Amino acid sequence: QETSALYELTRGLSAVRGIGKMADTAISLLADVYRMEIVLFVAEQDGISLHPKTASADDVKEASVARWVIQNGQLAGRNTDTLPSARGLYVPLMAEGQILGALGVLPENVDYLFGGNDINRLETYASLIASAFQRARRAEEAERTKLESESQKLKNVLLSSVSHDLRTPLASITGAASSALMLRDLLPAAAIELLGSIHGQAAR
């Protein structure tokens, strides 16, 4: 059963793209394994997001435990020496020395005790999820880098094209305005002012 669960989790995480979908897949599969509520706290640039968003762990106490786990890279919560009054048990999502979030299991039974085997299994699942999240982030970074590179190329082509296409007519405008201003003795003051504005703005 354990091997089957690991296989299903690995296959499920490989079949989807993006951290959000990976989180949903992991929660669904582990909920079947543990028959308990499963939550994922994901560390992001602008804070920590909870999956699913409607989870009962969305309260100050449980969130503070998850935040401690993410900051310290150690398990905490129920049946541990750290913040044991929490409803859930939380383990860090760690890949390549980087903490990406926390995986939590919240039993309905207030007297439920997590054994050593439960914790070992949870840490194994957390490791698989963290590796999948790391792959997703690298893929997103690669895609972002590619888009930025293509955007820069497009910008350079556009600027080059605009520069070339504008240079000739602008040169004609400034030349014509400059020539007209040489005839200022023959022109009314209003026309001279307008020609000066045309020449100045075209030059700018």
Side-chain angles (χ1 to χ4, degrees):
Q1 288 177 341
E2 218 167 296
T3 303
S4 176
L6 288 169
Y7 170 71
E8 289 297 330
L9 179 60
T10 303
R11 188 175 69 166
L13 292 172
S14 300
V16 295
R17 293 185 63 185
I19 288 179
K21 290 183 178 179
M22 287 179 173
D24 293 340
T25 298
I27 289 167
S28 176
L29 290 169
L30 294 184
D32 288 338
V33 172
Y34 282 94
R35 302 295 177 185
M36 300 176 189
E37 183 179 2
I38 306 295
V39 295
L40 280 167
F41 288 86
V42 181
E44 298 176 350
Q45 288 185 344
D46 56 351
I48 298 173
S49 63
L50 173 64
H51 299 266
K53 297 187 184 302
T54 56
S56 63
D58 188 15
D59 62 44
V60 175
K61 185 176 183 179
E62 298 300 313
S64 65
V65 179
R67 190 170 288 106
W68 187 94
V69 169
I70 292 170
Q71 290 173 348
N72 295 276
Q74 299 176 18
L75 63 85
R78 180 191 288 260
N79 304 142
T80 71
D81 295 330
T82 306
L83 307 170
S85 62
R87 182 178 156 223
L89 171 65
Y90 298 88
V91 299
L93 300 174
M94 190 179 298
E96 300 175 8
Q98 187 176 4
I99 302 170
L100 305 176
L103 168 63
V105 182
L106 292 79
E108 289 291 335
N109 183 357
V110 295
D111 297 322
Y112 186 89
L113 295 176
F114 285 102
N117 190 47
D118 291 326
I119 293 173
N120 289 338
R121 280 199 305 161
L122 197 61
E123 288 177 333
T124 301
Y125 295 137
S127 178
L128 286 174
I129 295 168
S131 295
F133 282 6
Q134 188 80 307
R135 288 196 305 274
R137 288 195 172 170
R138 282 183 177 162
E140 289 172 0
E141 288 172 5
E143 184 67 21
R144 187 162 51 247
T145 301
K146 180 181 176 184
L147 287 174
E148 288 174 356
S149 175
E150 290 177 352
S151 177
Q152 187 61 41
K153 287 179 183 177
L154 180 60
K155 178 182 175 183
N156 292 338
V157 169
L158 181 62
L159 287 174
S160 176
S161 176
V162 168
S163 175
H164 178 270
D165 291 346
L166 285 179
R167 188 176 290 116
T168 301
L170 283 173
S172 298
I173 293 170
T174 53
S178 179
S179 297
L181 284 170
M182 293 174 68
L183 306 173
R184 64 177 61 244
D185 293 339
L186 304 175
L187 299 172
I192 293 172
E193 184 179 347
L194 289 171
L195 284 168
S197 177
I198 291 170
H199 184 274
Q201 292 300 319
R204 186 175 71 85

